[in-house]
Amino acid sequence: MAPKAGGDSAKVNSTVYKNKSKPTDVRLSNINAAKAVSDAIRTSLGPRGMDKMIQSANGEVTITNDGATILKQMSVIHPAAKMLVELSRAQDIEAGDGTTSVVVIAGALLDAAEKLLQKGIHPTVISDGFQKALQMALQVVESMSIPVDLSNEDALLKAAATSLNSKVVSQHSSILAPIAVQAICAVMESTPGKVGARVDLRDVKVIERIGGTVEDTELIQGLVIPHRSANVNGPHRIEKAKVGLIQFCISPPKTDMDHNVIVSDYAAMDRVLKEERQYILNIVKQIKKAGCNVLLVQKSILRDALSDLAVHFLDKIKTMVIKDIEREDIEFVCKTLGCRPIASLDHFTAENLVNVDLVEEINEPGGRYIKVNVLRNPVITEILHVLQPLQVTASALGLATETVRAILKIDDIINTVN
């Protein structure tokens, strides 16, 4: 019986190996899944594109026609469809626009590849053909391109307005496009060869406020801190300010988590309170000695960054205090103001402070916030992505072609395994 069983097993394996319909079915499934994603956002392309309303699992509703946002909100399971989602995300990182176009191009290329597969052409041949077509298409696009002078503000405004035409705020492009161009020009750095420029979009920060309209959008040459000052009776507007950023707390030190201090009599309690008062007073005296009149305090986890007694003393010396600066914002604040964080009281000296033009607390119906206008090294606190149409077209075409080739190559691996 054993030889017979072995023969049956070999027969089954031979049957599986000769089943040529399986790779075709898997390949077709990959193409259909990717085309489904492409068709889902096709109608949102262009200035006449329709907005999509997406409801998340927690009930939050998003209305947008941005391809990257739509695909990010969609729950995609199929591996080939996920590749198009990653394609859109890569396009957003690379160029900042064309997230819908790149997916639509990939869907159209896959539709053309499906027709070629039905004619019996091997996937590798189709993939090589797409690669050759990509090189030729890039040559055509480069021959059509017009050099952009980064000092020509009109050309940059047209590029920004073109990018905004397909967005929800397209009717406000005349307001937002100049803001975008000014923001990018302010953080633009020349490359060593003086060819083009380098822009780090992390230097442009967007602060959202509740209330108002798009017309209220403002470009700040400096820093915006989206919460009120910690002062009770202190100043709310300081011109020609000296700003210090500290990473230590102005509050009484605490014991470790597993230890307690037991005070048994009133004399000991008075001594503890007196030591705490003297500890905080020494810190405030050092702040006043350095000439600091605006103090930024990093948010603390283990204890209060600022005690009520410290606020009282700082009010006395007319120092504006802004506490709870998030740890991840420290680098941005330092780069904006041109300062460096001070980790200990010994290093709190006048040399480590920075001069700014104006620090003021703005009171609006949506809440209070701090606005800092810097004298130098401005980093902008408004919007957006400015990009050249040539870069969008070339990036979209290249990424879409590479994605189609990758989807077709998936089944070459399946063929090898089988």
Side-chain angles (χ1 to χ4, degrees):
M1 294 300 292
K4 184 177 180 180
D8 291 342
S9 176
K11 183 176 181 181
V12 172
N13 290 336
S14 177
T15 304
V16 173
Y17 179 78
K18 292 180 180 179
N19 185 6
K20 297 185 179 297
S21 63
K22 182 179 178 182
T24 304
D25 294 341
V26 174
R27 189 178 296 118
L28 184 62
S29 173
N30 289 337
I31 292 175
N32 289 335
K35 285 171 60 179
V37 174
S38 175
D39 294 337
I41 65 171
R42 186 187 301 274
T43 54
S44 65
L45 179 64
R48 295 182 180 272
M50 295 179 288
D51 294 341
K52 296 289 188 293
M53 180 182 291
I54 306 167
Q55 184 175 12
S56 60
N58 60 1
E60 184 179 352
V61 176
T62 303
I63 301 175
T64 181
N65 66 352
D66 180 62
T69 305
I70 295 172
L71 293 175
K72 190 186 302 180
Q73 298 285 342
M74 291 173 60
S75 178
V76 180
I77 300 175
H78 196 283
K82 282 185 177 180
M83 291 185 67
L84 261 69
V85 176
E86 293 298 326
L87 167 69
S88 178
R89 184 179 293 116
Q91 173 69 12
D92 189 31
I93 296 172
E94 179 70 21
D97 198 11
T99 53
T100 305
S101 302
V102 69
V103 176
V104 172
I105 292 174
L109 293 174
L110 284 170
D111 186 52
E114 183 181 6
K115 295 177 181 177
L116 295 174
L117 289 171
Q118 291 173 354
K119 294 181 179 180
I121 301 176
H122 196 273
T124 304
V125 177
I126 300 173
S127 177
D128 293 340
F130 276 134
Q131 186 66 22
K132 293 180 180 179
L134 170 63
Q135 300 303 323
M136 296 180 65
L138 289 176
Q139 292 177 6
V140 173
V141 170
E142 289 175 0
S143 65
M144 296 168 57
S145 65
I146 301 173
V148 177
D149 184 7
L150 296 177
S151 61
N152 186 352
E153 188 174 346
D154 291 337
L156 297 178
L157 284 173
K158 290 179 181 178
T162 300
S163 180
L164 287 168
N165 280 339
S166 61
K167 308 302 179 185
V168 178
V169 292
S170 57
Q171 64 270 27
H172 301 289
S173 60
S174 60
I175 299 173
L176 298 178
I179 289 177
V181 172
Q182 293 173 28
I184 294 300
C185 290
V187 299
M188 188 183 299
E189 298 178 1
S190 300
T191 54
K194 300 296 182 180
V195 179
R198 183 186 299 107
V199 174
D200 187 354
L201 292 180
R202 290 174 296 182
D203 292 342
V204 182
K205 191 173 182 180
V206 179
I207 300 296
E208 300 176 354
R209 303 293 297 174
I210 298 175
T213 62
V214 178
E215 285 83 359
D216 297 327
T217 302
E218 183 182 1
L219 183 69
I220 306 298
Q221 297 273 359
L223 181 68
V224 170
I225 302 172
H227 49 258
R228 63 184 297 274
S229 66
N231 298 88
V232 177
N233 298 315
H236 298 281
R237 176 186 171 89
I238 298 178
E239 296 182 358
K240 307 299 181 182
K242 288 188 175 182
V243 181
L245 173 61
I246 63 173
Q247 293 181 306
F248 57 88
C249 301
I250 312 179
S251 61
K254 291 186 176 181
T255 61
D256 294 336
M257 300 296 290
D258 298 332
H259 296 79
N260 294 316
V261 175
I262 299 175
V263 180
S264 57
D265 55 20
Y266 290 107
M269 175 64 74
D270 291 340
R271 191 163 59 252
V272 169
L273 293 177
K274 186 179 294 184
E275 289 294 333
E276 289 181 355
R277 180 185 178 90
Q278 189 61 40
Y279 175 81
I280 294 174
L281 191 58
N282 289 337
I283 297 177
V284 175
K285 285 181 178 179
Q286 181 65 28
I287 292 172
K288 183 179 180 180
K289 181 181 178 181
C292 174
N293 52 13
V294 176
L295 191 65
L296 306 180
V297 186
Q298 179 177 309
K299 188 174 184 179
S300 177
I301 300 174
L302 298 179
R303 59 188 171 119
D304 295 334
L306 204 64
S307 67
D308 294 338
L309 186 60
V311 173
H312 171 73
F313 285 142
L314 291 168
D315 284 345
K316 290 285 188 181
I317 64 172
K318 303 299 182 182
T319 298
M320 180 187 290
V321 186
I322 301 101
K323 65 175 183 177
D324 293 341
I325 306 295
E326 296 291 342
R327 185 179 298 272
E328 56 268 19
D329 293 335
I330 292 296
E331 182 181 356
F332 180 82
V333 172
C334 292
K335 192 172 183 180
T336 303
L337 301 180
C339 66
R340 57 182 180 181
I342 303 171
S344 66
L345 185 62
D346 296 335
H347 296 92
F348 198 96
T349 58
E351 291 78 15
N352 291 326
L353 303 181
V354 63
N355 296 319
V356 300
D357 188 27
L358 175 65
V359 180
E360 60 179 335
E361 183 177 0
I362 308 296
N363 189 9
E364 291 185 348
R368 297 181 181 182
Y369 64 91
I370 306 296
K371 183 167 70 173
V372 182
N373 292 335
V374 300
L375 292 170
R376 52 191 171 79
N377 297 330
V379 177
I380 306 304
T381 312
E382 265 311 318
I383 306 181
L384 194 60
H385 300 286
V386 177
L387 29 100
Q388 303 170 14
L390 168 63
Q391 294 177 341
V392 176
T393 305
S395 300
L397 182 62
L399 286 172
T401 306
E402 293 297 330
T403 301
V404 171
R405 294 179 69 243
I407 291 176
L408 293 173
K409 289 287 187 181
I410 286 174
D411 299 302
D412 290 343
I413 299 174
I414 294 175
N415 292 339
T416 303
V417 173
N418 289 336

